[in-house]
Amino acid sequence: MPSFLQPKTPPSNGDWITEYARTTRVQWQGDCVTLRDIRNFRYITRDQPLPAWYDASYDLNTVQSVDLVVSHWSGPAIAHVFISFGFSDGRYLAISIETRRQNGQKYSPFGGFLRNYALIYVVADERDLIGVRTDIRRERVHLYRLDLSPAVARQVFEQYLARVDHLNRHPEFYNTLFNNCTTNILRHARALAPQFRYSWKILASGYADAYTWDLGLLDQAIPFAQLKAQSLIQRPADAQIDEQFSSTVRQQRGTHI
């Protein structure tokens, strides 16, 4: 369909594939926030999810950290990039910016130019968003701790939730170049640090971690190549995605070194 005949905004209600059937709803209550329908899928195979969602409340004063997740599913230049927030009570909550596809739709970068896919912020348990990539798809997943204070981590968390809330009311189309996982992450970063600039490493998303290191937001005590090796999540073939998943993957990173 020619672009001028395509809709200007994506549908609010669609025949969404199971993973995107629900969007997370945000309820603000002063320094607390309640999130409805946090995704927590398990996967028999990559194409056989076991759907589950839950509700949870978070004290904004307990946001402690932000981790960068870079998952290579093809060559070194191609990766999916998202972030995860850590809280002082030991919980983690991941948020991934993706294409909200309908049944029968397959993702393609070219299709992402043509207003084919809605944009969605998937708010999910790490056992879902990271676990499916490490244990089911067997992608090469790197997990980095960003060098941010708890105060800044809270600001980033609030920004993300505000964006989730906005998209629920005002849907947008995904765009392969201008409204994708990495450009939205950079948009959030620039809201707090306007000096951040676009880079070819943002478009070649597999190098987003290198760009983040260049900006001084990752551990500078060791060379980036060493940090990247140490940040690789190694999962045994018989590993279980259990309640200790988040702590386990953080303990096991870089055990091959």
Side-chain angles (χ1 to χ4, degrees), residues 105-131:
Q105 283 188 315
K106 298 292 185 181
Y107 173 76
S108 76
F110 178 74
F113 287 107
L114 301 177
R115 299 202 293 268
N116 281 323
Y117 316 118
L119 182 74
I120 185 172
Y121 277 48
V122 178
V123 182
D125 199 287
E126 282 193 341
R127 290 169 294 182
D128 178 335
L129 276 177
I130 298 180

Side-chain angles (χ1 to χ4, degrees), residues 71-109:
S71 185
H72 290 268
W73 51 271
S74 186
I78 300 175
H80 181 60
V81 183
F82 59 97
I83 66 175
S84 185
F85 297 92
F87 300 84
S88 59
D89 60 7
R91 289 184 294 173
Y92 288 89
L93 185 70
I95 303 181
S96 172
I97 303 164
E98 302 183 12
T99 56
R100 192 183 192 190
R101 301 185 304 280
Q102 301 194 53
N103 282 303
Q105 283 188 315
K106 298 292 185 181
Y107 173 76
S108 76

Side-chain angles (χ1 to χ4, degrees), residues 2-9 111-117 173-174:
S3 60
F4 66 86
L5 294 178
Q6 292 180 315
K8 297 298 184 182
T9 58
F113 287 107
L114 301 177
R115 299 202 293 268
N116 281 323
Y117 316 118
F173 279 108
Y174 174 95

Side-chain angles (χ1 to χ4, degrees), residues 145-148 196 209-220:
R145 175 59 50 86
L146 292 175
D147 186 14
L148 300 176
F196 291 171
D209 49 0
Y211 180 57
T212 306
W213 190 85
D214 291 343
L215 292 173
L217 294 176
L218 298 179
D219 185 2
Q220 303 286 301

Side-chain angles (χ1 to χ4, degrees), residues 228-249:
K228 187 178 182 73
Q230 291 179 350
S231 298
L232 178 67
I233 296 175
Q234 296 270 13
R235 295 282 285 171
D238 60 350
Q240 299 296 312
I241 303 177
D242 56 21
E243 297 297 320
Q244 287 73 47
F245 177 81
S246 292
S247 59
T248 299
V249 296

